[in-house]
Amino acid sequence: MLTRFAPSPTGYLHLGHAFAAAEAFGRGPCLLRIEDIDLTRARPEFYAAINEDLRWLGFDWPEPVRVQSRHLSDYGAVIDTLAGRGLLYEDFTTRTGQENRDLPPAIKLSTPAAIKAIGTDRLTFMERERVVTIDLTKLEDKTVVRRDIGTSYHIAVTHDDWMQGVTDVTRGQDLFEKTRVHVLIQTLMGWPVPRYHHHGLVMETGEKKMSKRRGSMTIHALREQGLSSEDVLSMAREQAGTG
Ligand code: GLU
């Protein structure tokens, strides 16, 4: 088995990341992957801080670490493959719901075309020991090329999980719904569907997802306050919801 911890370097790691990292690294051999395709938000200093914080927490991973922004052509090739099979279309609708042909379009994956291509509207994946069935007739068309970054999380994450031989995806419950389009892309590309393990999230007063902006709870800040890595990990565990 092989899993991964795949943070985006858009801020300092916080308690929620400490919990997520403990879940991933605690399950067995685990890769670190830097998901920085959103170059409008990712910053190199955060990548350095991720390394430092994870080492301080006591985690270890094989080198080299895959940094997604260095592999944009790989994601472009996946998009070309899907486009070549007639599964993608341009969408000029903006966030406000209006059509604007002055901006580059977003590229969407047509779920109806995908259903035709794979010959079924039902797919399954394993969530831990449980089989989850996906009803593709209820899956709206998803953006696979964002107009601002030229690719998307859905393409990069599925490509890399396949390319790196990840058998078990460990990640937060907030990404559970996204698994539907990930399994669809994996099926279209002929990639094995990994087993999924969506874990609970560290909550702020049991409601809101922990935000990276809450500076006082960064791992770095907690370390500066004199807490040990064990303290930080047990704090994270205490505050995590059940997945
Ligand atoms: N990079 C994503 C994040 O920081 C995680 C992606 C995943 O684990 O699938 O939330």
Side-chain angles (χ1 to χ4, degrees):
M1 94 55 113
L2 181 65
T3 190
R4 82 301 194 275
F5 178 58
S8 297
T10 56
Y12 292 105
L13 296 189
H14 53 65
L15 266 192
H17 291 108
F19 179 71
E23 285 282 307
F25 286 101
R27 295 186 64 215
C30 182
L31 304 174
L32 172 65
R33 186 167 72 220
I34 300 297
E35 300 209 325
D36 62 343
I37 53 167
D38 187 347
L39 294 168
T40 63
R41 296 174 63 223
R43 302 227 307 262
E45 65 265 32
F46 293 135
Y47 173 23
I50 287 171
N51 271 286
E52 193 184 314
D53 289 342
L54 290 177
R55 294 263 186 238
W56 178 77
L57 285 169
F59 302 122
D60 206 9
W61 53 86
E63 299 284 346
V65 168
R66 186 167 172 93
V67 178
Q68 289 190 325
S69 61
R70 298 178 191 156
H71 301 281
L72 296 178
S73 60
D74 287 1
Y75 314 134
V78 178
I79 292 157
D80 289 348
T81 300
L82 296 174
R85 290 166 63 190
L87 301 172
L88 307 186
Y89 66 92
E90 295 181 333
D91 184 4
F92 289 91
T93 318
T94 61
R95 246 168 239 255
T96 54
Q98 252 115 42
E99 180 160 307
N100 185 344
R101 289 193 173 255
D102 296 331
L103 289 175
I107 310 284
K108 286 192 163 173
L109 170 62
S110 160
T111 304
I115 290 172
K116 234 182 242 154
I118 60 177
T120 176
D121 57 16
R122 293 284 189 283
L123 291 174
T124 59
F125 69 95
M126 294 298 292
E127 172 66 28
R128 305 184 199 200
E129 304 307 320
R130 180 170 64 94
V131 179
V132 179
T133 301
I134 303 166
D135 179 354
L136 291 175
T137 63
K138 300 214 165 71
L139 180 71
E140 63 279 26
D141 297 351
K142 299 288 183 194
T143 296
V144 290
V145 184
R146 273 170 47 180
R147 59 165 63 84
D148 54 346
I149 62 172
T151 183
S152 68
Y153 159 63
H154 300 315
I155 296 294
V157 80
T158 51
H159 173 275
D160 285 359
D161 285 336
W162 162 70
M163 203 274 305
Q164 295 191 289
V166 169
T167 60
D168 290 64
V169 169
T170 309
R171 63 184 181 194
Q173 187 64 33
D174 53 332
L175 295 172
F176 183 84
E177 280 304 312
K178 300 207 182 341
T179 308
R180 297 180 304 157
V181 67
H182 295 177
V183 173
L184 178 56
I185 293 168
Q186 287 152 356
T187 305
L188 285 166
M189 294 301 294
W191 298 334
V193 177
R195 180 189 303 266
Y196 284 85
H197 177 107
H198 290 91
H199 57 73
L201 303 174
V202 170
M203 299 292 176
E204 178 192 351
T205 65
E207 280 167 26
K208 245 182 18 200
K209 202 175 91 182
M210 189 102 184
S211 155
K212 285 172 195 167
R213 283 176 285 278
R214 296 185 64 236
S216 62
M217 298 301 260
T218 63
I219 294 168
H220 183 81
L222 294 167
R223 180 166 83 213
E224 300 259 286
Q225 288 167 30
L227 269 69
S228 69
S229 52
E230 288 77 22
D231 294 336
V232 171
L233 288 171
S234 64
M235 229 170 116
R237 243 176 263 119
E238 269 162 35
Q239 294 189 31
T242 46

